[in-house]
Amino acid sequence: IVRDRIKLHKPDVILLMIGTNQRNAKSPADLSNLVGKIVTHAPDAHLIVAQIIPIAAGHDAQNESADAFNTYIRETLVPTYAAKGANVSTVDLFTMFLSDPDDPTSVKAGTHADNAVHPSTAMSDKMAQAWFEGIEAVSALARSHKRK
């Protein structure tokens, strides 16, 4: 399906946020396999992988797990593919939910909608801004490469 969608749409930029629901021990490998397929079938596109959002306050174990998954994205997945020449970067959608960026359990009150999983409207707006800034960074990078 990845190859078919890429062939059909021919994207310049691909945004990927995956792993919030049903994350398990296989999730890092599954994500790496998906990223591998994307960069193989869209080598000229830039893939931006999101660091996933936390669940509402009080779900400490899940938020520590999300933080560990984000560390994998930020410190292993993206650098590994970038070192292979893939156009890949990350955006941090996790930290904006925290009162203390060093404590993954410090989720601010009011950041989630009614079910404790989905972000509030205000947080959705902040997430959109983070995505936009990630896309702008890719655009700036592309412009600087064209000048060389």
Side-chain angles (χ1 to χ4, degrees), residues 70-80:
N70 288 337
T71 299
Y72 166 75
I73 290 169
R74 182 179 61 250
E75 296 180 8
T76 302
L77 179 79
V78 169
T80 297

Side-chain angles (χ1 to χ4, degrees), residues 44-99:
D44 296 327
H46 191 101
L47 172 63
I48 304 174
V49 182
Q51 295 169 53
I52 62 172
I53 69 171
I55 297 173
H59 296 86
D60 293 355
Q62 292 97 324
N63 290 334
E64 288 172 344
S65 173
D67 184 55
F69 189 64
N70 288 337
T71 299
Y72 166 75
I73 290 169
R74 182 179 61 250
E75 296 180 8
T76 302
L77 179 79
V78 169
T80 297
Y81 279 96
K84 294 177 184 178
N87 300 313
V88 62
S89 59
T90 187
V91 293
D92 179 3
L93 301 183
F94 188 83
T95 305
M96 67 182 70
F97 285 81
L98 306 178
S99 59

Side-chain angles (χ1 to χ4, degrees), residues 95-123:
T95 305
M96 67 182 70
F97 285 81
L98 306 178
S99 59
D100 176 357
D102 295 323
D103 179 1
T105 66
S106 69
V107 178
K108 294 181 257 184
T111 57
H112 289 77
D114 58 349
N115 64 2
V117 176
H118 297 100
S120 67
T121 300
M123 292 309 294

